[in-house]
Amino acid sequence: MVGHVSMMNTFKAMICRSFTGCSLGVGIILGVLLSASQACGASRKIEMGVIPGGLKYNITEFQVSAGESVEFVFNNNGLIPHNWLLTRPGKLDDVIADAMALGVDGLAKDFIPDSSDVLHSVALVQPGKSVILQFTAPDAVGDYPYVCTFPGHFNLMRGVMKVVGKETEVLAPSITEGVSHQILNALGRSGVEPFPKGTKEKPYVIRTFMPEPNLDPAIFTRHQRGYAAANYSPATGTDVPGIARTDQGLPAAMGVNFGDELSYCWDTVECRLMYVWTGDFLDMSVYWGGGAGGGRKGFDYVPRIMGNLRFKTQGEHPINANFNPAQPVPSPRFRGYRVVDGYPEFHYTVDGLSVRERISPGDRRSFRVDLSISSDNASSIRLAFDTAIRPSLQASHGIWEGDELVLTPDEAVQFNLVQRF
Ligand SMILES: [Cu+2]
């Protein structure tokens, strides 16, 4: 990561603020470390906030001149913490995937991955706080995407910094005004729906903290049994130290809803389906507030499952059957997802295998998993299922050896599983 906001930037930030009358005392003390001209010299000032209560920056595009000095001010005038990551052109999705892959380390790292594709970043800023970041604009003209990588934000909370040539006039950004004081009612204006819902034709997909409904400990090979999300106090605008929710969350999972028929949770750290439910999807109101009218009374990061749990995965990852049991189990790496025929298709790699997985509602009381597994040199592909799962599982291809499905490399390229529940 090139320019994570540093202590020195914090000093600069404080000094700059002292000259705008915010924290004069501190500015005088630190003034010996940096001269005012170093800290606040002529630079392009970009002052960004959020649409209060919403999951959007109030500036979705701004321009800077190639190579110029930029003073970036991020005011979190919203309800919940946000960060800001400036990425290399074309690398936004990679950075988001890396941020999600942080898994249990995510919150401690402010969801900022160690990646050379992150040019500059502002760590999580609590509501009511602001941070100043000084940086030099890239010399290369182009579109540099920025994003908030807090789980559940990055689909909406993003924008583009346009670097224009030195001879080009830099246009001032347009700012979407919010209502900064009536924050408790702001969610009603944000368009956020506290009970989101999809359909079979157009599933609703959300990347967020997901509930951890007492899953089998054996499935957590890469993170702890869920993750205790910090509690947030709307009164003080900060996480409450020492208090963790008793319900735990999966910090880097995705929730998908096809209407009442099927919802599922897929974890991007373990790279597997975690659980399935029917009926209503998620109650996001602890996180997003109550929608129209706001009325937030509490806040935490983990939404609630509204319907009925039907299936929880168990045991080791099925793909592990391909690996030498005498060796440490290799870690899968999430490579992102794309939408195929309207449904998300997850992609992960693990030790020479490349897996694509797409989940869809089946007939009554079942779901279908379309899989494509390719390998460089395997003579067969094996998937081992927990004995509790195997009896309600059918495969379109391959032969069963006990609880193990054995496929030829050709068969593995396209097959499906149907799981009854
Ligand atoms: Cu955010």
Side-chain angles (χ1 to χ4, degrees):
M1 182 171 40
V2 180
H4 183 58
V5 65
S6 65
M7 275 310 287
M8 195 52 85
N9 279 329
T10 308
F11 289 157
K12 286 182 184 176
M14 295 170 98
I15 291 164
C16 287
R17 261 197 219 182
S18 76
F19 285 90
T20 56
C22 287
S23 56
L24 194 57
V26 178
I28 290 166
I29 295 162
L30 295 176
V32 296
L33 298 174
L34 285 167
S35 72
S37 61
Q38 273 177 294
C40 306
S43 62
R44 172 105 25 218
K45 186 168 179 178
I46 301 293
E47 195 161 357
M48 188 178 294
V50 303
I51 297 175
L55 295 171
K56 283 187 174 170
Y57 296 115
N58 66 355
I59 296 174
T60 52
E61 183 182 317
F62 66 90
Q63 298 186 351
V64 297
S65 187
E68 78 174 332
S69 168
V70 178
E71 181 183 315
F72 177 77
V73 182
F74 182 51
N75 297 318
N76 186 354
N77 54 314
L79 283 167
I80 50 183
H82 301 290
N83 64 15
W84 185 82
L85 282 71
L86 182 67
T87 69
R88 289 188 194 280
K91 296 295 182 184
L92 181 68
D93 289 340
D94 290 350
V95 168
I96 290 171
D98 287 343
M100 286 307 89
L102 289 172
V104 71
D105 294 331
L107 200 54
K109 292 188 167 181
D110 295 292
F111 301 103
I112 300 170
D114 293 320
S115 163
S116 59
D117 292 331
V118 178
L119 291 175
H120 301 284
S121 62
V122 172
L124 283 177
V125 180
Q126 296 294 334
K129 307 283 191 247
S130 62
V131 166
I132 303 175
L133 171 70
Q134 308 268 354
F135 66 90
T136 303
D139 289 323
V141 167
D143 289 355
Y144 294 75
Y146 55 84
V147 65
C148 171
T149 52
F150 197 96
H153 295 199
F154 35 76
N155 285 336
L156 293 166
M157 203 160 183
R158 47 173 71 186
V160 177
M161 179 179 85
K162 286 187 175 289
V163 175
V164 300
K166 289 187 169 119
E167 309 306 317
T168 309
E169 188 195 352
V170 175
L171 302 173
S174 69
I175 298 172
T176 307
E177 291 296 339
V179 183
S180 59
H181 298 296
Q182 300 173 359
I183 56 172
L184 284 180
N185 288 324
L187 273 153
R189 302 163 205 266
S190 69
V192 168
E193 162 57 58
F195 308 109
K197 201 132 194 197
T199 63
K200 230 171 147 172
E201 291 70 37
K202 196 173 187 308
Y204 188 92
V205 180
I206 181 171
R207 299 183 70 163
T208 182
F209 276 90
M210 286 289 288
E212 199 285 78
N214 292 312
L215 295 162
D216 177 6
I219 70 179
F220 293 103
T221 57
R222 293 189 66 205
H223 53 23
Q224 306 295 316
R225 227 195 118 74
Y227 182 77
N231 233 349
Y232 174 81
S233 163
T236 61
T238 57
D239 287 337
V240 182
I243 298 178
R245 288 175 35 75
T246 48
D247 293 341
Q248 294 185 320
L250 303 170
M254 296 179 64
V256 180
N257 171 261
F258 300 92
D260 284 345
E261 250 179 278
L262 188 77
S263 300
Y264 70 85
C265 167
W266 203 92
D267 188 74
T268 62
V269 179
E270 305 296 346
C271 291
R272 68 191 292 191
L273 176 74
M274 300 302 254
Y275 54 88
V276 157
W277 72 103
T278 59
D280 285 325
F281 185 42
L282 291 173
D283 178 355
M284 298 298 296
S285 60
V286 292
Y287 188 9
W288 288 348
R296 179 192 297 284
K297 292 187 179 67
F299 180 83
D300 69 57
Y301 300 122
V302 186
R304 307 287 189 268
I305 293 170
M306 295 176 74
N308 299 307
L309 269 174
R310 300 294 186 186
F311 172 83
K312 296 198 267 190
T313 200
Q314 295 184 60
E316 274 191 64
H317 198 302
I319 202 85
N320 289 355
N322 294 284
F323 310 128
N324 183 345
Q327 302 283 324
V329 178
S331 285
R333 171 136 204 239
F334 183 56
R335 301 290 178 178
Y337 78 97
R338 58 180 185 162
V339 176
V340 178
D341 297 335
Y343 291 9
E345 180 190 79
F346 307 106
H347 182 208
Y348 63 94
T349 53
V350 50
D351 198 35
L353 299 176
S354 173
V355 184
R356 293 181 187 276
E357 178 173 333
R358 194 162 63 107
I359 295 156
S360 49
D363 296 333
R364 284 175 57 83
R365 290 289 178 113
S366 73
F367 62 89
R368 169 175 162 151
V369 185
D370 283 284
L371 282 154
S372 172
I373 306 176
S374 56
S375 88
D376 299 334
N377 51 15
S379 56
S380 65
I381 301 289
R382 309 178 79 88
L383 296 175
F385 295 91
D386 192 86
T387 43
I389 289 176
R390 161 68 187 107
S392 50
L393 194 59
Q394 286 181 324
S396 66
H397 293 76
I399 50 163
W400 287 98
E401 293 180 0
D403 295 330
E404 258 182 64
L405 179 66
V406 185
L407 300 135
T408 66
D410 281 350
E411 289 172 330
V413 169
Q414 191 177 355
F415 68 105
N416 70 67
L417 302 170
V418 173
Q419 177 81 56
R420 293 190 309 282
F421 55 78

